[in-house]
Amino acid sequence: VPNPTSEGGASTALTARRVGLDRDDVVDAALALVESEGAGALTMRRLAAELDVTTTTIYWHAGNRDELVLALITRLSDRLAERTVTGSTPAERVLSAATNIWDSARAHRHVTALAYQIGAASVLELPLEVALARDLEAAGLRGVAVRDALRAIVMCTAGFLVVALRARPTDGEAPAAVPPARELWSAADTTGLSSETVAALGRAPSLAALFESTMRALIAGLLPEGGRP
Amino acid sequence: VPNPTSEGGASTALTARRVGLDRDDVVDAALALVESEGAGALTMRRLAAELDVTTTTIYWHAGNRDELVLALITRLSDRLAERTVTGSTPAERVLSAATNIWDSARAHRHVTALAYQIGAASVLELPLEVALARDLEAAGLRGVAVRDALRAIVMCTAGFLVVALRARPTDGEAPAAVPPARELWSAADTTGLSSETVAALGRAPSLAALFESTMRALIAGLLPEGGRP
DNA sequence: ACCTGAACACCGTTCAAGT
DNA sequence: ACCTGAACACCGTTCAAGT
């Protein structure tokens, strides 16, 4: 039986062989690993195996795990295509810029979830936040008013994302057996609430639809004259 | 020198001594550990040491770590004092109920952060969410409209909380060296943005003040006639 | 029923050593 | 400069065994 790996080529020394690995290679491999299998798959040993080196080689090129994770988030941020903002009214354009953050995060759910974990979400989203700031200025805001409106929009988006990005059972991450909303609300003391409302509270809303309507309400309250031209 | 621990009392067998431990004792100790030192301090060995037993004893009483964490969150939820809702207009009362969630989460930051991690935030907040639902109905909403307004408010609050509850360097959790907003925005490509706005974006906002103004804007957009009586 | 001791299969990280 | 091998101090979890 032929050996498919490490066959052919000048057989060099058994130990300390030169692999020709780059820091970029390590970060790229780490990013690919997280994108395909989630943050839980990124262990130093697993990554080393993927690159066919020892764990210590990872440390030499990319530092410890925290540094590696930050590097991989920055790498994706650089790669992230600038999304275009559409809409004719200020409110519509701001909504579009916010939706870009929402869509981009869901398109890279594993890395985004990891970025949230270590508090580096704005490192990842920076270019999209800049675009949002521009349309906030175009809507008539300035200085701290832009800052406050931007942070409000970004934070509310983050709130939607923490539930949208939650690891599903199919992900392998095996989330704890937390009771679903239906069980929670049927067991709660809901005296004073109409049964119609209690029933509705037990059903999960459509996140995408709720995100849009919430953002519309929020943006209308944030922009001068509700963002109408 | 006198031995301060395990001295005095009938010296029983060296192994398999009856400790008289309860499942409640284990969950209480786990809760106390997380409240005082954060989720990172909750390891099975550490908890066992705290209770002066072996790790296997924890498993026998409380199951694995996931079950234990869920139990500890449920325990705190039961203990959480019902907070009173104040205000005369519907909008004010809804804001008060939302602020209760915000305040309660910050009063129990470590457990709340843990609950968010495993997606069990609404287990912890359930009583406060019920109170919010009541005032949403009092404001004239019904059924799915209550559900959607409640989820919007709760999710936006969650977004603020993920940054408010972020582990500080003083916590021992040693967060990764993610660059502060100032560095981020001064290095970003901010062409088209006024320098006044760029400077503002580099400074962190007051979270508490921003939470209140954001909630006011959101609630006004969510309630019929903006929540005015 | 309640608890221990030992073990298994993992982690991140460090350090002396090789080429 | 670049990489290995061995080790340290941790994890969660299981299992046979004790009383």
Side-chain angles (χ1 to χ4, degrees), chain A residues 85 94 97-98 101 126-143 146-147 149-150 153-154, chain B residues 185 190 192-194 197-198 201:
Chain A
V85 174
V94 169
I101 297 178
L126 191 60
L128 303 175
E129 289 188 12
V130 173
L132 176 57
R134 284 202 193 95
D135 279 290
L136 251 12
E137 275 208 336
L141 264 35
R142 267 277 191 163
V146 171
R147 193 267 316 263
L150 184 139
I153 291 170
V154 166
Chain B
W185 283 90
T190 52
L193 240 40
S194 75
T197 296
V198 174
L201 284 163

PDB file of all heavy atoms in Angstrom, chain A residues 85 94 97-98 101 126-143 146-147 149-150 153-154, chain B residues 185 190 192-194 197-198 201:
ATOM      1  N   VAL A  85     -24.302  50.925   0.066  1.00  0.00           N
ATOM      2  CA  VAL A  85     -25.485  51.416   0.762  1.00  0.00           C
ATOM      3  C   VAL A  85     -26.492  51.898  -0.264  1.00  0.00           C
ATOM      4  O   VAL A  85     -26.129  52.644  -1.178  1.00  0.00           O
ATOM      5  CB  VAL A  85     -25.101  52.559   1.725  1.00  0.00           C
ATOM      6  CG1 VAL A  85     -26.335  53.180   2.333  1.00  0.00           C
ATOM      7  CG2 VAL A  85     -24.150  52.052   2.793  1.00  0.00           C
ATOM      8  N   VAL A  94     -29.586  54.787   6.079  1.00  0.00           N
ATOM      9  CA  VAL A  94     -29.071  54.359   7.385  1.00  0.00           C
ATOM     10  C   VAL A  94     -29.503  52.920   7.672  1.00  0.00           C
ATOM     11  O   VAL A  94     -28.700  52.101   8.142  1.00  0.00           O
ATOM     12  CB  VAL A  94     -29.544  55.307   8.508  1.00  0.00           C
ATOM     13  CG1 VAL A  94     -29.230  54.717   9.874  1.00  0.00           C
ATOM     14  CG2 VAL A  94     -28.892  56.673   8.353  1.00  0.00           C
ATOM     15  N   ALA A  97     -27.298  50.630   5.687  1.00  0.00           N
ATOM     16  CA  ALA A  97     -25.961  50.474   6.276  1.00  0.00           C
ATOM     17  C   ALA A  97     -26.006  49.551   7.497  1.00  0.00           C
ATOM     18  O   ALA A  97     -25.098  48.736   7.712  1.00  0.00           O
ATOM     19  CB  ALA A  97     -25.392  51.836   6.660  1.00  0.00           C
ATOM     20  N   ALA A  98     -27.070  49.670   8.295  1.00  0.00           N
ATOM     21  CA  ALA A  98     -27.229  48.801   9.471  1.00  0.00           C
ATOM     22  C   ALA A  98     -27.461  47.356   9.032  1.00  0.00           C
ATOM     23  O   ALA A  98     -26.913  46.412   9.621  1.00  0.00           O
ATOM     24  CB  ALA A  98     -28.382  49.282  10.335  1.00  0.00           C
ATOM     25  N   ILE A 101     -24.332  45.457   8.234  1.00  0.00           N
ATOM     26  CA  ILE A 101     -23.661  44.874   9.405  1.00  0.00           C
ATOM     27  C   ILE A 101     -24.322  43.551   9.785  1.00  0.00           C
ATOM     28  O   ILE A 101     -23.657  42.543  10.023  1.00  0.00           O
ATOM     29  CB  ILE A 101     -23.692  45.856  10.591  1.00  0.00           C
ATOM     30  CG1 ILE A 101     -22.916  47.134  10.234  1.00  0.00           C
ATOM     31  CG2 ILE A 101     -23.133  45.211  11.857  1.00  0.00           C
ATOM     32  CD1 ILE A 101     -22.918  48.192  11.319  1.00  0.00           C
ATOM     33  N   LEU A 126     -15.479  47.336  11.558  1.00  0.00           N
ATOM     34  CA  LEU A 126     -15.055  48.727  11.389  1.00  0.00           C
ATOM     35  C   LEU A 126     -15.399  49.373  10.045  1.00  0.00           C
ATOM     36  O   LEU A 126     -16.006  50.455  10.027  1.00  0.00           O
ATOM     37  CB  LEU A 126     -13.555  48.865  11.691  1.00  0.00           C
ATOM     38  CG  LEU A 126     -13.051  50.300  11.798  1.00  0.00           C
ATOM     39  CD1 LEU A 126     -13.766  51.047  12.906  1.00  0.00           C
ATOM     40  CD2 LEU A 126     -11.550  50.336  12.043  1.00  0.00           C
ATOM     41  N   PRO A 127     -15.067  48.726   8.918  1.00  0.00           N
ATOM     42  CA  PRO A 127     -15.388  49.377   7.634  1.00  0.00           C
ATOM     43  C   PRO A 127     -16.884  49.633   7.468  1.00  0.00           C
ATOM     44  O   PRO A 127     -17.288  50.652   6.916  1.00  0.00           O
ATOM     45  CB  PRO A 127     -14.901  48.365   6.594  1.00  0.00           C
ATOM     46  CG  PRO A 127     -13.985  47.443   7.315  1.00  0.00           C
ATOM     47  CD  PRO A 127     -14.375  47.443   8.742  1.00  0.00           C
ATOM     48  N   LEU A 128     -17.701  48.717   7.969  1.00  0.00           N
ATOM     49  CA  LEU A 128     -19.148  48.873   7.844  1.00  0.00           C
ATOM     50  C   LEU A 128     -19.664  49.961   8.784  1.00  0.00           C
ATOM     51  O   LEU A 128     -20.631  50.650   8.486  1.00  0.00           O
ATOM     52  CB  LEU A 128     -19.845  47.540   8.133  1.00  0.00           C
ATOM     53  CG  LEU A 128     -19.397  46.364   7.245  1.00  0.00           C
ATOM     54  CD1 LEU A 128     -20.054  45.068   7.688  1.00  0.00           C
ATOM     55  CD2 LEU A 128     -19.724  46.654   5.788  1.00  0.00           C
ATOM     56  N   GLU A 129     -18.989  50.108   9.926  1.00  0.00           N
ATOM     57  CA  GLU A 129     -19.369  51.180  10.847  1.00  0.00           C
ATOM     58  C   GLU A 129     -19.013  52.543  10.268  1.00  0.00           C
ATOM     59  O   GLU A 129     -19.744  53.518  10.445  1.00  0.00           O
ATOM     60  CB  GLU A 129     -18.693  50.976  12.211  1.00  0.00           C
ATOM     61  CG  GLU A 129     -19.249  49.801  12.997  1.00  0.00           C
ATOM     62  CD  GLU A 129     -18.706  49.730  14.421  1.00  0.00           C
ATOM     63  OE1 GLU A 129     -18.076  50.712  14.869  1.00  0.00           O
ATOM     64  OE2 GLU A 129     -18.912  48.698  15.095  1.00  0.00           O
ATOM     65  N   VAL A 130     -17.893  52.606   9.564  1.00  0.00           N
ATOM     66  CA  VAL A 130     -17.508  53.861   8.910  1.00  0.00           C
ATOM     67  C   VAL A 130     -18.577  54.263   7.892  1.00  0.00           C
ATOM     68  O   VAL A 130     -19.005  55.428   7.833  1.00  0.00           O
ATOM     69  CB  VAL A 130     -16.131  53.725   8.215  1.00  0.00           C
ATOM     70  CG1 VAL A 130     -15.818  54.970   7.397  1.00  0.00           C
ATOM     71  CG2 VAL A 130     -15.029  53.483   9.243  1.00  0.00           C
ATOM     72  N   ALA A 131     -19.032  53.294   7.103  1.00  0.00           N
ATOM     73  CA  ALA A 131     -20.069  53.572   6.109  1.00  0.00           C
ATOM     74  C   ALA A 131     -21.342  54.074   6.780  1.00  0.00           C
ATOM     75  O   ALA A 131     -21.989  55.020   6.310  1.00  0.00           O
ATOM     76  CB  ALA A 131     -20.356  52.317   5.291  1.00  0.00           C
ATOM     77  N   LEU A 132     -21.684  53.459   7.900  1.00  0.00           N
ATOM     78  CA  LEU A 132     -22.866  53.894   8.651  1.00  0.00           C
ATOM     79  C   LEU A 132     -22.699  55.325   9.141  1.00  0.00           C
ATOM     80  O   LEU A 132     -23.622  56.143   9.048  1.00  0.00           O
ATOM     81  CB  LEU A 132     -23.104  52.940   9.827  1.00  0.00           C
ATOM     82  CG  LEU A 132     -24.237  53.265  10.795  1.00  0.00           C
ATOM     83  CD1 LEU A 132     -25.570  53.381  10.072  1.00  0.00           C
ATOM     84  CD2 LEU A 132     -24.332  52.218  11.903  1.00  0.00           C
ATOM     85  N   ALA A 133     -21.502  55.643   9.618  1.00  0.00           N
ATOM     86  CA  ALA A 133     -21.237  56.997  10.107  1.00  0.00           C
ATOM     87  C   ALA A 133     -21.421  58.029   8.994  1.00  0.00           C
ATOM     88  O   ALA A 133     -21.977  59.109   9.223  1.00  0.00           O
ATOM     89  CB  ALA A 133     -19.821  57.074  10.678  1.00  0.00           C
ATOM     90  N   ARG A 134     -20.988  57.672   7.799  1.00  0.00           N
ATOM     91  CA  ARG A 134     -21.130  58.600   6.671  1.00  0.00           C
ATOM     92  C   ARG A 134     -22.596  58.932   6.402  1.00  0.00           C
ATOM     93  O   ARG A 134     -22.950  60.091   6.216  1.00  0.00           O
ATOM     94  CB  ARG A 134     -20.508  57.991   5.401  1.00  0.00           C
ATOM     95  CG  ARG A 134     -18.998  58.030   5.388  1.00  0.00           C
ATOM     96  CD  ARG A 134     -18.438  57.934   3.967  1.00  0.00           C
ATOM     97  NE  ARG A 134     -16.994  57.668   4.025  1.00  0.00           N
ATOM     98  CZ  ARG A 134     -16.464  56.449   3.952  1.00  0.00           C
ATOM     99  NH1 ARG A 134     -17.226  55.390   3.798  1.00  0.00           N
ATOM    100  NH2 ARG A 134     -15.157  56.293   4.027  1.00  0.00           N
ATOM    101  N   ASP A 135     -23.442  57.919   6.414  1.00  0.00           N
ATOM    102  CA  ASP A 135     -24.863  58.169   6.134  1.00  0.00           C
ATOM    103  C   ASP A 135     -25.560  58.849   7.304  1.00  0.00           C
ATOM    104  O   ASP A 135     -26.562  59.526   7.108  1.00  0.00           O
ATOM    105  CB  ASP A 135     -25.554  56.856   5.776  1.00  0.00           C
ATOM    106  CG  ASP A 135     -25.293  56.490   4.323  1.00  0.00           C
ATOM    107  OD1 ASP A 135     -25.835  57.182   3.444  1.00  0.00           O
ATOM    108  OD2 ASP A 135     -24.503  55.555   4.075  1.00  0.00           O
ATOM    109  N   LEU A 136     -25.007  58.683   8.469  1.00  0.00           N
ATOM    110  CA  LEU A 136     -25.541  59.404   9.626  1.00  0.00           C
ATOM    111  C   LEU A 136     -25.240  60.892   9.486  1.00  0.00           C
ATOM    112  O   LEU A 136     -26.071  61.756   9.812  1.00  0.00           O
ATOM    113  CB  LEU A 136     -24.924  58.842  10.911  1.00  0.00           C
ATOM    114  CG  LEU A 136     -25.740  57.992  11.908  1.00  0.00           C
ATOM    115  CD1 LEU A 136     -27.073  57.530  11.359  1.00  0.00           C
ATOM    116  CD2 LEU A 136     -24.931  56.845  12.449  1.00  0.00           C
ATOM    117  N   GLU A 137     -24.049  61.196   8.993  1.00  0.00           N
ATOM    118  CA  GLU A 137     -23.705  62.599   8.741  1.00  0.00           C
ATOM    119  C   GLU A 137     -24.558  63.162   7.609  1.00  0.00           C
ATOM    120  O   GLU A 137     -25.035  64.301   7.676  1.00  0.00           O
ATOM    121  CB  GLU A 137     -22.211  62.734   8.394  1.00  0.00           C
ATOM    122  CG  GLU A 137     -21.308  62.831   9.602  1.00  0.00           C
ATOM    123  CD  GLU A 137     -20.026  63.626   9.303  1.00  0.00           C
ATOM    124  OE1 GLU A 137     -19.622  63.704   8.134  1.00  0.00           O
ATOM    125  OE2 GLU A 137     -19.435  64.152  10.267  1.00  0.00           O
ATOM    126  N   ALA A 138     -24.748  62.355   6.578  1.00  0.00           N
ATOM    127  CA  ALA A 138     -25.574  62.795   5.445  1.00  0.00           C
ATOM    128  C   ALA A 138     -27.007  63.077   5.889  1.00  0.00           C
ATOM    129  O   ALA A 138     -27.720  63.872   5.285  1.00  0.00           O
ATOM    130  CB  ALA A 138     -25.555  61.740   4.350  1.00  0.00           C
ATOM    131  N   ALA A 139     -27.407  62.421   6.989  1.00  0.00           N
ATOM    132  CA  ALA A 139     -28.766  62.625   7.505  1.00  0.00           C
ATOM    133  C   ALA A 139     -28.858  63.888   8.349  1.00  0.00           C
ATOM    134  O   ALA A 139     -29.931  64.233   8.850  1.00  0.00           O
ATOM    135  CB  ALA A 139     -29.205  61.413   8.317  1.00  0.00           C
ATOM    136  N   GLY A 140     -27.731  64.574   8.549  1.00  0.00           N
ATOM    137  CA  GLY A 140     -27.776  65.846   9.267  1.00  0.00           C
ATOM    138  C   GLY A 140     -27.166  65.806  10.655  1.00  0.00           C
ATOM    139  O   GLY A 140     -27.188  66.804  11.374  1.00  0.00           O
ATOM    140  N   LEU A 141     -26.600  64.645  11.048  1.00  0.00           N
ATOM    141  CA  LEU A 141     -25.998  64.536  12.388  1.00  0.00           C
ATOM    142  C   LEU A 141     -24.518  64.929  12.336  1.00  0.00           C
ATOM    143  O   LEU A 141     -23.883  64.893  11.284  1.00  0.00           O
ATOM    144  CB  LEU A 141     -26.139  63.109  12.908  1.00  0.00           C
ATOM    145  CG  LEU A 141     -27.326  62.800  13.837  1.00  0.00           C
ATOM    146  CD1 LEU A 141     -28.566  63.594  13.451  1.00  0.00           C
ATOM    147  CD2 LEU A 141     -27.649  61.311  13.819  1.00  0.00           C
ATOM    148  N   ARG A 142     -23.972  65.248  13.524  1.00  0.00           N
ATOM    149  CA  ARG A 142     -22.582  65.707  13.598  1.00  0.00           C
ATOM    150  C   ARG A 142     -21.944  65.334  14.942  1.00  0.00           C
ATOM    151  O   ARG A 142     -22.621  65.351  15.964  1.00  0.00           O
ATOM    152  CB  ARG A 142     -22.547  67.244  13.482  1.00  0.00           C
ATOM    153  CG  ARG A 142     -22.347  67.755  12.070  1.00  0.00           C
ATOM    154  CD  ARG A 142     -20.866  67.736  11.729  1.00  0.00           C
ATOM    155  NE  ARG A 142     -20.595  68.471  10.482  1.00  0.00           N
ATOM    156  CZ  ARG A 142     -19.395  68.891  10.137  1.00  0.00           C
ATOM    157  NH1 ARG A 142     -18.374  68.678  10.949  1.00  0.00           N
ATOM    158  NH2 ARG A 142     -19.213  69.510   9.000  1.00  0.00           N
ATOM    159  N   GLY A 143     -20.657  65.061  14.929  1.00  0.00           N
ATOM    160  CA  GLY A 143     -19.897  64.863  16.169  1.00  0.00           C
ATOM    161  C   GLY A 143     -20.484  63.799  17.080  1.00  0.00           C
ATOM    162  O   GLY A 143     -20.746  62.669  16.646  1.00  0.00           O
ATOM    163  N   VAL A 146     -23.510  61.771  15.957  1.00  0.00           N
ATOM    164  CA  VAL A 146     -23.218  60.627  15.084  1.00  0.00           C
ATOM    165  C   VAL A 146     -22.746  59.450  15.924  1.00  0.00           C
ATOM    166  O   VAL A 146     -23.213  58.327  15.752  1.00  0.00           O
ATOM    167  CB  VAL A 146     -22.123  60.979  14.046  1.00  0.00           C
ATOM    168  CG1 VAL A 146     -21.673  59.735  13.304  1.00  0.00           C
ATOM    169  CG2 VAL A 146     -22.625  62.021  13.067  1.00  0.00           C
ATOM    170  N   ARG A 147     -21.833  59.723  16.829  1.00  0.00           N
ATOM    171  CA  ARG A 147     -21.304  58.676  17.692  1.00  0.00           C
ATOM    172  C   ARG A 147     -22.429  57.970  18.457  1.00  0.00           C
ATOM    173  O   ARG A 147     -22.522  56.736  18.468  1.00  0.00           O
ATOM    174  CB  ARG A 147     -20.294  59.298  18.671  1.00  0.00           C
ATOM    175  CG  ARG A 147     -19.428  58.317  19.444  1.00  0.00           C
ATOM    176  CD  ARG A 147     -19.974  57.930  20.804  1.00  0.00           C
ATOM    177  NE  ARG A 147     -20.485  59.025  21.589  1.00  0.00           N
ATOM    178  CZ  ARG A 147     -19.811  59.663  22.532  1.00  0.00           C
ATOM    179  NH1 ARG A 147     -18.566  59.322  22.771  1.00  0.00           N
ATOM    180  NH2 ARG A 147     -20.378  60.625  23.221  1.00  0.00           N
ATOM    181  N   ALA A 149     -25.734  57.919  17.886  1.00  0.00           N
ATOM    182  CA  ALA A 149     -26.669  57.210  16.999  1.00  0.00           C
ATOM    183  C   ALA A 149     -26.029  55.932  16.474  1.00  0.00           C
ATOM    184  O   ALA A 149     -26.666  54.871  16.447  1.00  0.00           O
ATOM    185  CB  ALA A 149     -27.082  58.110  15.842  1.00  0.00           C
ATOM    186  N   LEU A 150     -24.766  56.005  16.104  1.00  0.00           N
ATOM    187  CA  LEU A 150     -24.061  54.829  15.600  1.00  0.00           C
ATOM    188  C   LEU A 150     -23.963  53.738  16.656  1.00  0.00           C
ATOM    189  O   LEU A 150     -24.272  52.568  16.402  1.00  0.00           O
ATOM    190  CB  LEU A 150     -22.669  55.212  15.104  1.00  0.00           C
ATOM    191  CG  LEU A 150     -21.848  54.097  14.470  1.00  0.00           C
ATOM    192  CD1 LEU A 150     -21.102  54.618  13.248  1.00  0.00           C
ATOM    193  CD2 LEU A 150     -20.848  53.485  15.442  1.00  0.00           C
ATOM    194  N   ILE A 153     -27.361  52.077  17.237  1.00  0.00           N
ATOM    195  CA  ILE A 153     -27.711  51.150  16.156  1.00  0.00           C
ATOM    196  C   ILE A 153     -26.855  49.882  16.214  1.00  0.00           C
ATOM    197  O   ILE A 153     -27.359  48.765  16.112  1.00  0.00           O
ATOM    198  CB  ILE A 153     -27.555  51.842  14.785  1.00  0.00           C
ATOM    199  CG1 ILE A 153     -28.637  52.916  14.614  1.00  0.00           C
ATOM    200  CG2 ILE A 153     -27.612  50.833  13.649  1.00  0.00           C
ATOM    201  CD1 ILE A 153     -28.448  53.822  13.413  1.00  0.00           C
ATOM    202  N   VAL A 154     -25.559  50.072  16.410  1.00  0.00           N
ATOM    203  CA  VAL A 154     -24.645  48.928  16.434  1.00  0.00           C
ATOM    204  C   VAL A 154     -24.926  48.010  17.622  1.00  0.00           C
ATOM    205  O   VAL A 154     -24.910  46.785  17.504  1.00  0.00           O
ATOM    206  CB  VAL A 154     -23.176  49.407  16.455  1.00  0.00           C
ATOM    207  CG1 VAL A 154     -22.233  48.282  16.808  1.00  0.00           C
ATOM    208  CG2 VAL A 154     -22.805  50.006  15.105  1.00  0.00           C
TER     209      VAL A 154
ATOM    210  N   TRP B 185     -10.358  54.015  15.308  1.00  0.00           N
ATOM    211  CA  TRP B 185     -10.912  55.058  14.439  1.00  0.00           C
ATOM    212  C   TRP B 185      -9.844  55.998  13.902  1.00  0.00           C
ATOM    213  O   TRP B 185     -10.029  56.610  12.850  1.00  0.00           O
ATOM    214  CB  TRP B 185     -12.013  55.823  15.175  1.00  0.00           C
ATOM    215  CG  TRP B 185     -13.274  55.033  15.219  1.00  0.00           C
ATOM    216  CD1 TRP B 185     -13.658  54.148  16.174  1.00  0.00           C
ATOM    217  CD2 TRP B 185     -14.315  55.014  14.226  1.00  0.00           C
ATOM    218  NE1 TRP B 185     -14.869  53.574  15.845  1.00  0.00           N
ATOM    219  CE2 TRP B 185     -15.292  54.095  14.664  1.00  0.00           C
ATOM    220  CE3 TRP B 185     -14.505  55.677  13.014  1.00  0.00           C
ATOM    221  CZ2 TRP B 185     -16.447  53.835  13.922  1.00  0.00           C
ATOM    222  CZ3 TRP B 185     -15.663  55.414  12.284  1.00  0.00           C
ATOM    223  CH2 TRP B 185     -16.620  54.501  12.738  1.00  0.00           C
ATOM    224  N   THR B 190     -11.266  57.151   7.090  1.00  0.00           N
ATOM    225  CA  THR B 190     -12.474  57.916   7.426  1.00  0.00           C
ATOM    226  C   THR B 190     -12.693  59.087   6.474  1.00  0.00           C
ATOM    227  O   THR B 190     -13.253  60.103   6.863  1.00  0.00           O
ATOM    228  CB  THR B 190     -12.383  58.447   8.867  1.00  0.00           C
ATOM    229  OG1 THR B 190     -11.134  59.139   9.019  1.00  0.00           O
ATOM    230  CG2 THR B 190     -12.451  57.323   9.866  1.00  0.00           C
ATOM    231  N   GLY B 192     -14.337  61.504   3.986  1.00  0.00           N
ATOM    232  CA  GLY B 192     -15.744  61.830   3.834  1.00  0.00           C
ATOM    233  C   GLY B 192     -16.426  62.092   5.156  1.00  0.00           C
ATOM    234  O   GLY B 192     -17.596  62.474   5.197  1.00  0.00           O
ATOM    235  N   LEU B 193     -15.681  61.890   6.253  1.00  0.00           N
ATOM    236  CA  LEU B 193     -16.246  62.128   7.585  1.00  0.00           C
ATOM    237  C   LEU B 193     -15.603  63.388   8.171  1.00  0.00           C
ATOM    238  O   LEU B 193     -14.404  63.605   8.020  1.00  0.00           O
ATOM    239  CB  LEU B 193     -15.935  60.934   8.484  1.00  0.00           C
ATOM    240  CG  LEU B 193     -17.081  60.139   9.097  1.00  0.00           C
ATOM    241  CD1 LEU B 193     -18.214  59.955   8.105  1.00  0.00           C
ATOM    242  CD2 LEU B 193     -16.594  58.801   9.582  1.00  0.00           C
ATOM    243  N   SER B 194     -16.402  64.208   8.842  1.00  0.00           N
ATOM    244  CA  SER B 194     -15.843  65.410   9.458  1.00  0.00           C
ATOM    245  C   SER B 194     -14.913  65.017  10.592  1.00  0.00           C
ATOM    246  O   SER B 194     -15.130  64.009  11.278  1.00  0.00           O
ATOM    247  CB  SER B 194     -16.966  66.300   9.989  1.00  0.00           C
ATOM    248  OG  SER B 194     -17.502  65.749  11.170  1.00  0.00           O
ATOM    249  N   THR B 197     -16.573  64.538  13.911  1.00  0.00           N
ATOM    250  CA  THR B 197     -17.247  63.246  14.086  1.00  0.00           C
ATOM    251  C   THR B 197     -16.242  62.130  14.368  1.00  0.00           C
ATOM    252  O   THR B 197     -16.463  61.288  15.247  1.00  0.00           O
ATOM    253  CB  THR B 197     -18.071  62.907  12.830  1.00  0.00           C
ATOM    254  OG1 THR B 197     -19.107  63.882  12.681  1.00  0.00           O
ATOM    255  CG2 THR B 197     -18.682  61.537  12.945  1.00  0.00           C
ATOM    256  N   VAL B 198     -15.145  62.113  13.645  1.00  0.00           N
ATOM    257  CA  VAL B 198     -14.117  61.086  13.853  1.00  0.00           C
ATOM    258  C   VAL B 198     -13.599  61.136  15.290  1.00  0.00           C
ATOM    259  O   VAL B 198     -13.435  60.097  15.943  1.00  0.00           O
ATOM    260  CB  VAL B 198     -12.951  61.246  12.857  1.00  0.00           C
ATOM    261  CG1 VAL B 198     -11.830  60.265  13.175  1.00  0.00           C
ATOM    262  CG2 VAL B 198     -13.438  61.044  11.430  1.00  0.00           C
ATOM    263  N   LEU B 201     -16.162  59.676  17.615  1.00  0.00           N
ATOM    264  CA  LEU B 201     -16.263  58.222  17.494  1.00  0.00           C
ATOM    265  C   LEU B 201     -15.149  57.503  18.241  1.00  0.00           C
ATOM    266  O   LEU B 201     -15.273  56.334  18.602  1.00  0.00           O
ATOM    267  CB  LEU B 201     -16.254  57.821  16.017  1.00  0.00           C
ATOM    268  CG  LEU B 201     -17.573  58.076  15.287  1.00  0.00           C
ATOM    269  CD1 LEU B 201     -17.378  58.061  13.778  1.00  0.00           C
ATOM    270  CD2 LEU B 201     -18.608  57.036  15.692  1.00  0.00           C
TER     271      LEU B 201
END
